[in-house]
Amino acid sequence: MLGTASQAPTRQRNQNGYLLRWDGTGFLFDPGEGTQRQMLLAGVSANDVHRICVTHFHGDHCLGVPGVVQRLSLDRVTHDVHAHYPASGAEYFRRLRYAASFHEVATLREAPVEQAGVVATGSFGTLEACRLDHRVETFGYRLVEPDGRRMLPAALSELGISGPDVGVLRREGVLHRRGRVVRLDEVSVPRPGQRFAFVMDTRLCDGVYALADGADLLVIESTFLAADAALAAEYAHLTAAQAARVARECGVRRLALTHFSGRYPDPRPFYEEAAAIFDGDIVVAQDVSRIPVPSRRERDEDAGR
Ligand SMILES: [Zn+2]
């Protein structure tokens, strides 16, 4: 959590900025103004950034792009960095990218989001975008890791399976061993893929639910408290209560609330409002803090163990 304020920074909160470490890939979401320095405070280097994902082109979600982009070159980041943003804002991105003179040596590949759907695939799984409902074109993002299987060492050794045979079994699903056929499901259990969802400025809409569906970690804006629901509707934002209802209905495991309006000096009511609705894990995000993606669901019980 690099920054957690909406619109204008406060003494306690910087404008938006979120770095997701997803195995070996770093996703930088919505770098607002000051993100470069927040990265420093959080111990994140330019080398940790592989993809930049911008939901929309209001300043609190993108004014950090110039600093971050220039830092990639200053630090001579050698891997390609990919940038995703609503295609309708390509002109804004171009201006942010070249807002000032610098020696461009890093490779930044732009892949604007034209429509909802798959944005990128890789070792991280699938990065998808869904349309949200704000005052300018906005896309939320989610990461979906494919389901896999976790091998059970005890079951493998019982059957004398080791080394390259494990790979064969994984790839082909069966292995001929000691005159019989061993099936993959005898020596492994399902390993459900993990999901991360990032929902920024929006009214409640289908896209919010589609993104949040089954998320292990949902990072979602809750600009307002329910007492100010009229303001939330007027400015096309969510309340903490709405975010909590989404988390409850979508089977979210950990709910991270952020993008708070500066009108609320005390963050506790956001927790209380959400906790009255959602009984999962709730974190009211703070700047320069870490929120772990919950560890994998264990489904050993499903396999009768
Ligand atoms: Zn915003």
Side-chain angles (χ1 to χ4, degrees):
M1 298 284 131
L2 300 170
T4 57
S6 70
Q7 206 164 38
T10 68
R11 285 174 181 272
Q12 288 79 32
R13 298 183 188 275
N14 198 71
Q15 278 188 347
N16 294 288
Y18 309 87
L19 185 95
L20 174 71
R21 293 183 193 270
W22 191 255
D23 292 332
T25 307
F27 294 82
L28 178 63
F29 291 95
D30 281 359
E33 186 181 350
T35 293
Q36 186 182 181
R37 187 151 191 275
Q38 296 296 98
M39 287 169 62
L40 179 77
L41 297 177
V44 173
S45 85
N47 265 297
D48 295 325
V49 177
H50 296 84
R51 290 182 186 265
I52 299 171
C53 302
V54 173
T55 59
H56 67 294
F57 285 99
H58 280 151
D60 53 323
H61 299 260
C62 66
L63 285 176
V65 167
V68 171
V69 165
Q70 295 193 20
R71 190 62 185 268
L72 297 174
S73 281
L74 188 68
D75 289 0
R76 298 188 173 272
V77 168
T78 52
H79 59 251
D80 288 4
V81 176
H82 302 263
H84 308 292
Y85 53 80
S88 60
E91 176 62 18
Y92 289 123
F93 193 86
R94 192 192 63 78
R95 295 206 291 253
L96 290 162
R97 179 174 181 178
Y98 296 114
S101 171
F102 71 109
H103 180 48
E104 189 171 26
V105 294
T107 304
L108 181 66
R109 298 192 186 282
E110 297 182 34
V113 180
E114 305 267 0
Q115 58 190 18
V118 174
V119 172
T121 56
S123 57
F124 50 83
T126 305
L127 176 66
E128 299 173 3
C130 280
R131 279 189 189 282
L132 295 174
D133 181 10
H134 195 45
R135 291 173 295 154
V136 297
E137 185 173 51
T138 301
F139 285 100
Y141 296 93
R142 72 170 185 163
L143 265 166
V144 179
E145 182 190 48
D147 292 338
R149 299 195 70 85
R150 187 167 66 78
M151 305 306 280
L152 300 170
L156 286 169
S157 70
E158 211 170 287
L159 292 162
I161 301 169
S162 62
D165 282 349
V166 177
V168 171
L169 191 51
R170 260 191 189 283
R171 278 195 306 279
E172 297 176 11
V174 291
L175 183 76
H176 296 270
R177 187 84 200 170
R178 292 175 186 165
R180 83 170 189 91
V181 176
V182 177
R183 296 190 326 276
L184 180 59
D185 60 9
E186 293 176 61
V187 291
S188 67
V189 289
R191 190 195 72 164
Q194 288 195 295
R195 293 186 183 190
F196 167 81
F198 185 75
V199 175
M200 280 298 132
D201 301 14
T202 187
R203 298 182 181 91
L204 266 190
C205 64
D206 291 349
V208 175
Y209 292 96
L211 290 164
D213 184 40
D216 294 281
L217 174 61
L218 168 64
V219 174
I220 186 166
E221 70 124 313
S222 64
T223 311
F224 294 101
L225 292 169
D228 295 314
L231 286 175
E234 184 180 348
Y235 295 108
H237 283 297
L238 298 174
T239 65
Q242 287 174 318
R245 263 179 238 122
V246 168
R248 188 179 67 191
E249 289 175 31
C250 292
V252 167
R253 295 174 68 202
R254 182 165 291 155
L255 169 66
L257 301 175
T258 183
H259 192 273
F260 305 108
S261 164
R263 72 180 54 233
Y264 308 109
D266 181 3
R268 278 172 300 187
F270 285 89
Y271 180 87
E272 287 156 14
E273 188 169 300
I277 294 165
F278 175 62
D279 63 4
D281 197 15
I282 301 168
V283 183
V284 176
Q286 290 182 316
D287 282 23
V288 195
S289 64
R290 286 166 194 254
I291 302 175
V293 177
S295 56
R296 291 179 188 284
R297 294 171 207 259
E298 282 297 336
R299 292 210 184 144
D300 287 12
E301 313 81 47
D302 299 352
R305 293 172 59 88

